[in-house]
Amino acid sequence: MSTLMRLFLSLTMNNITDRVFRYIEENDMVHVGDQVVVGVSGGADSLCLLFLLWKYQRFLCGKNNDRKSFALKVIHIHHGIRGESADGDAVFVENFCRERHIECITIRKNIPEIAKQRHETVEEAGRRERYSSFMSALDGEGRKVIAVAHHMDDQAETVVHNLLRGTGIRGLCGMRAVDSYEEALLIRPLLCFRRSEIEDFLSQEGLSFRTDETNADTDYSRNRIRHNIIPECSHVNQRSTEHIGEAADRLSRVWDFLIMSAGECYNKYVTDNGAAGEERELRIDGSIFSNEHIAVVEEVLRLTVKNMTGKLKDITAEHLSAIERLYMGQSGKSIDLPYRLKITKNYEEVIFTMREDTHERVRELKNAGKNPEKALNGWRLKTWVFDLEPGKELDYPKDFYTKWFDYDKIKGNVVLRGRGPGDRITLNVGTQKLQDFFTNQKIPANKRDDYMIVSLKSGSDVIWVVGDDISRISENYKVTPETKKVLEAKLVKDDLQGEKKMNVNIRTMITEEQVDTRIAEIAAQISEDYAGQEVTLVCILKGSVFYTCELAKRITVPVRVEFMRCSSYGNSTNSSGEVKVTLDMDEPLEGKNIIVVEDIIDTGRTLSYLLTLLKTRNPASLKLTTLLDKPDRRVVHVDVDYVGFVIPDEFVVGYGLDYAQDYRNLPYIGVVE
């Protein structure tokens, strides 16, 4: 290398050091007296971050005559994934720190095992464990600071990744130079640098680093963006990475202004009754919808949800739109959101309250035997089919015991059984014998009979293997962008199986008196809404007969009753997904006030189909009432005008509801235990 080139690189590298120091100070990242934890893998990015923070620590010591600075601690996580290579990373980081008298803590975690236990991806589990370790290490005095090595290329990848997955303004802001994590400050001192600058700097300083071979694995979406999409962007504009980062920075300023405006509007339009827990109630003055910009309104709604539940993860733009539509509709109506949140329109207000607690349907699989009959052991498979809307973002089920499959790829019926000889499953590495799959997953031989197998009725092709720590589907049947119909399969515990049904215990959920009172209230409301008019109740057989009869007796305006039977279930538990009208009405509906009467609404698929069908018959009005509503099971949105009771996702019987045609005659609503 020529003398001139050495001089140029030296000036450039010194400039990088100065830039980092200036970036730290401009963004108020580190103070004297802080305790700073750095996550160091041994790769170029984290090693560069540690080296520069170490230099900045020494710089502050020289700058302050009393030699005050900040405490610096390194955390290295051994993920238990890459064997000897990972062992080498740990030794490398420990030696680097020892040479510079930096405290270093190596923490060993079996991330794949942790991921299985939590039903998370390895990436999710790894990140959770890293940050948990960072927080545990921050046990001294002073501000708690976590330093991470994200750089400008990471920023571009993050923005593109968020954009492709679907995001709002916050996702397009990418990562911030300074953020918060629990009670700590999260800083990114390298966010102003390109990856190439970091590697050049390390080379100039004579510092080697470790390389993680999994970074080249394009099976990970972030790696595909890094190795495929970002380079293509550079062909369009060589500075595309910088431009994406600059756009994210500008959007961050827009986001800050939006959040500030939303906070002011929240204080103006939202009132809190001051109660705690289940009794808390937040009320939004409806004038916000006409007085404020929609962008501000949506953030106020989001902030209200967060203040009510403490969570926002599963709240989508569609949920916010549903709240807006609710306000534009009839007073007294309500909708249900995740986290047991109930939203009610009350004249010129929107009220946020919490629903009664629900009970998880997912239970551990226990005591399954090798015999297929025993393998069911109280579990049953529910399936249904639905069409995918073109261009709509897929909301894959998060339930461990629920999966989606490409329906058109499945030839024949699917069955639930135990493992059998010759079973094979196709993974992204190819087709494996099921016994080899269990071996690779380190499932003990004496535990393998505890796993459920979903397969075609004939043959050994495994579609889904599921147990208490693994839920894996075949690559051959996965939903893809070309999928038109989806088969949703759900494993549910059936406590009635193998028992004499009439001898089981039934716990009362809603008493006979409560049912009678509520039906009378609904009838009074219908009578008021249709004063001076005639209504036609369309009873959906069979379960709604009880509710229809009691409702009709209490309505004070003229009433006609018609009957329909439609179902998507081939037997009592398995849905075919194809809604069929097996009994239709004799009388035309044109010009009539129709109220469809249901006993219970869960997924909403059948009712959505039926209401669409009835609209084509030109009624004067079309409304829906149900005695029971299970919003936690909802898949298709259905507007319900008159609701008897909102219930948790439990198996209920009585008042027309049955199990295998039993229990319809109970005068109350009960839960089978």
Side-chain angles (χ1 to χ4, degrees):
M1 183 182 296
S2 68
T3 303
L4 185 61
M5 181 58 73
R6 286 193 179 94
L7 177 62
F8 171 75
L9 287 175
S10 176
L11 291 172
T12 304
M13 297 313 140
N14 289 334
N15 185 43
I16 285 180
T17 302
D18 292 341
R19 283 166 58 196
V20 168
F21 288 6
R22 188 165 59 251
Y23 195 64
I24 289 173
E25 292 175 353
E26 286 175 351
N27 289 280
D28 197 28
M29 291 184 178
V30 180
H31 295 174
V32 171
D34 286 351
Q35 46 174 326
V36 181
V37 166
V38 191
V40 181
S41 66
D45 307 337
S46 61
L47 196 77
C48 179
L49 172 64
L50 173 60
F51 183 69
L52 287 168
L53 284 174
W54 175 69
K55 292 185 71 174
Y56 187 66
Q57 184 187 45
R58 299 170 73 194
F59 165 75
L60 286 183
C61 284
K63 183 178 178 181
N64 298 292
N65 293 330
D66 55 6
R67 302 193 56 81
K68 287 184 178 180
S69 189
F70 57 90
L72 186 61
K73 185 185 296 186
V74 168
I75 299 295
H76 174 79
I77 307 293
H78 189 304
H79 292 77
I81 296 176
R82 295 162 45 243
E84 293 182 2
S85 180
D87 295 337
D89 292 347
V91 173
F92 175 83
V93 174
E94 290 165 358
N95 289 338
F96 185 92
C97 293
R98 187 179 301 111
E99 293 169 1
R100 291 160 181 81
H101 306 289
I102 303 171
E103 181 181 357
C104 178
I105 301 172
T106 297
I107 300 174
R108 294 178 178 268
K109 299 274 189 178
N110 189 338
I111 299 299
E113 183 61 31
I114 293 172
K116 288 180 184 178
Q117 293 173 358
R118 292 179 179 160
H119 311 307
E120 296 176 329
T121 66
V122 172
E123 294 77 20
E124 290 170 337
R127 184 184 186 281
R128 187 191 299 272
E129 290 301 312
R130 284 195 299 274
Y131 280 84
S132 174
S133 299
F134 296 157
M135 292 303 299
S136 298
L138 292 168
D139 53 3
E141 296 181 355
R143 290 195 317 171
K144 298 179 179 180
V145 181
I146 299 171
V148 290
H150 297 127
H151 48 71
M152 195 179 295
D153 294 70
D154 291 326
Q155 179 77 301
E157 293 163 15
T158 298
V159 173
V160 172
H161 189 247
N162 291 344
L163 179 63
L164 296 179
R165 289 192 309 170
T167 188
I169 295 177
R170 180 63 188 91
L172 294 177
C173 294
M175 300 175 289
R176 296 192 164 214
V178 178
D179 217 329
S180 60
Y181 182 81
E182 296 182 2
E183 67 269 25
L185 199 67
L186 187 66
I187 65 172
R188 298 181 173 93
L190 301 184
L191 206 57
C192 57
F193 290 99
R194 294 293 309 272
R195 165 80 184 203
S196 57
E197 292 181 282
I198 291 171
E199 293 183 352
D200 288 343
F201 174 75
L202 292 177
S203 175
Q204 176 64 19
E205 293 288 339
L207 298 175
S208 60
F209 54 87
R210 303 284 291 182
T211 301
D212 184 346
E213 58 271 15
T214 62
N215 287 337
D217 186 353
T218 54
D219 283 343
Y220 300 113
S221 58
R222 289 296 292 259
N223 287 352
R224 285 198 296 274
I225 293 171
R226 177 178 305 158
H227 297 298
N228 299 329
I229 297 177
I230 297 297
E232 285 298 319
C233 293
S234 297
H235 291 317
V236 176
N237 188 305
Q238 291 185 348
R239 297 191 59 210
S240 58
T241 297
E242 291 97 322
H243 293 329
I244 293 173
E246 291 165 359
D249 188 52
R250 286 192 292 272
L251 279 170
S252 292
R253 294 194 288 272
V254 173
W255 176 255
D256 288 342
F257 177 77
L258 179 59
I259 291 303
M260 180 183 69
S261 301
E264 293 173 352
C265 285
Y266 181 89
N267 294 332
K268 179 179 179 181
Y269 292 100
V270 182
T271 57
D272 190 333
N273 69 347
E278 302 296 315
E279 303 302 320
R280 190 180 186 191
E281 183 179 271
L282 295 179
R283 292 173 173 261
I284 300 180
D285 184 338
S287 63
I288 189 176
F289 294 99
S290 56
N291 293 346
E292 305 297 338
H293 192 280
I294 184 63
V296 175
V297 172
E298 289 181 348
E299 292 312 317
V300 170
L301 294 178
R302 203 186 304 272
L303 185 58
T304 309
V305 172
K306 186 174 183 179
N307 287 344
M308 195 74 189
T309 67
K311 304 174 184 177
L312 277 177
K313 183 175 181 293
D314 295 317
I315 302 300
T316 66
E318 178 56 34
H319 289 130
L320 303 182
S321 297
I323 298 175
E324 295 166 23
R325 292 195 301 270
L326 175 70
Y327 177 74
M328 302 305 171
Q330 180 181 347
S331 180
K333 286 192 174 183
S334 63
I335 58 174
D336 294 290
L337 266 60
Y339 314 126
R340 302 191 293 112
L341 189 59
K342 183 174 183 177
I343 320 292
T344 304
K345 164 72 180 296
N346 183 41
Y347 297 103
E348 299 306 318
E349 288 185 317
V350 177
I351 305 174
F352 287 59
T353 55
M354 301 298 290
R355 300 193 306 272
E356 292 184 10
D357 196 10
T358 57
H359 302 279
E360 291 293 331
R361 294 287 291 164
V362 178
R363 308 179 187 180
E364 292 186 358
L365 177 62
K366 297 180 179 178
N367 305 321
K370 191 170 184 178
N371 183 293
E373 294 301 318
K374 289 184 178 180
L376 295 174
N377 193 45
W379 289 81
R380 53 193 170 91
L381 182 69
K382 296 183 71 173
T383 62
W384 49 85
V385 178
F386 62 93
D387 293 324
L388 283 183
E389 296 182 31
K392 184 175 182 180
E393 182 180 354
L394 299 182
D395 184 18
Y396 289 97
K398 300 174 180 63
D399 184 347
F400 184 68
Y401 290 94
T402 304
K403 294 295 179 185
W404 280 5
F405 304 91
D406 190 320
Y407 178 73
D408 293 322
K409 294 178 181 178
I410 297 176
K411 309 302 179 185
N413 296 327
V414 295
V415 296
L416 178 65
R417 60 174 175 80
R419 67 182 180 122
D423 281 344
R424 304 181 72 86
I425 186 170
T426 301
L427 307 174
N428 53 15
V429 294
T431 301
Q432 289 183 354
K433 292 181 179 178
L434 191 60
Q435 64 184 33
D436 293 337
F437 169 78
F438 284 136
T439 299
N440 294 337
Q441 296 294 320
K442 297 181 173 55
I443 306 301
N446 63 342
K447 297 289 186 181
R448 296 176 185 179
D449 289 335
D450 295 343
Y451 286 77
M452 295 294 211
I453 306 300
V454 177
S455 70
L456 298 177
K457 189 172 184 179
S458 59
S460 56
D461 194 6
V462 173
I463 295 174
W464 180 21
V465 55
V466 58
D468 56 3
D469 58 355
I470 286 178
S471 180
R472 186 71 61 83
I473 70 174
S474 169
E475 291 289 319
N476 288 343
Y477 302 96
K478 277 189 172 181
V479 172
T480 70
E482 289 72 40
T483 299
K484 296 180 180 178
K485 283 182 177 290
V486 171
L487 170 74
E488 181 170 303
K490 181 180 180 70
L491 277 171
V492 295
K493 188 73 172 176
D494 183 353
D495 289 330
L496 299 180
Q497 185 162 330
E499 297 185 40
K500 187 173 172 50
K501 292 190 292 294
M502 290 306 290
N503 290 332
V504 300
N505 182 48
I506 297 178
R507 168 174 55 86
T508 300
M509 173 186 280
I510 304 170
T511 66
E512 181 178 3
E513 291 75 19
Q514 289 173 315
V515 174
D516 288 345
T517 299
R518 183 60 186 139
I519 293 177
E521 292 172 349
I522 294 174
Q525 184 64 55
I526 291 174
S527 301
E528 179 182 341
D529 292 346
Y530 290 92
Q533 304 178 65
E534 180 183 84
V535 296
T536 298
L537 303 181
V538 178
C539 172
I540 308 302
L541 298 173
K542 300 179 183 176
S544 304
V545 170
F546 287 67
Y547 179 34
T548 303
C549 291
E550 295 302 319
L551 186 64
K553 288 194 300 184
R554 292 168 170 82
I555 294 176
T556 58
V557 299
V559 175
R560 289 177 176 267
V561 179
E562 295 286 346
F563 297 91
M564 292 186 74
R565 182 188 291 122
C566 58
S567 176
S568 60
Y569 290 85
N571 55 41
S572 62
T573 61
N574 292 324
S575 166
S576 66
E578 302 294 335
V579 180
K580 297 179 180 178
V581 176
T582 56
L583 175 67
D584 208 342
M585 294 173 284
D586 297 326
E587 298 294 325
L589 301 183
E590 186 170 358
K592 296 180 179 179
N593 296 311
I594 305 301
I595 301 178
V596 176
V597 184
E598 258 290 19
D599 53 355
I600 186 168
I601 302 176
D602 45 28
T603 67
R605 289 194 178 97
T606 301
L607 263 298
S608 177
Y609 169 84
L610 180 60
L611 293 173
T612 301
L613 173 65
L614 295 181
K615 285 179 183 177
T616 65
R617 301 184 182 182
N618 301 319
S621 64
L622 179 61
K623 292 189 176 183
L624 172 63
T625 181
T626 183
L627 181 61
L628 304 175
D629 187 12
K630 276 189 188 180
D632 289 344
R633 293 272 295 137
R634 192 77 84 249
V635 173
V636 178
H637 176 73
V638 177
D639 288 321
V640 186
D641 300 279
Y642 308 100
V643 178
F645 302 92
V646 176
I647 65 171
D649 187 10
E650 295 190 281
F651 195 91
V652 291
V653 294
Y655 224 89
L657 295 155
D658 75 301
Y659 178 79
Q661 302 304 320
D662 288 321
Y663 310 118
R664 289 193 195 275
N665 61 327
L666 295 178
Y668 58 89
I669 304 298
V671 179
V672 178
E673 294 185 330

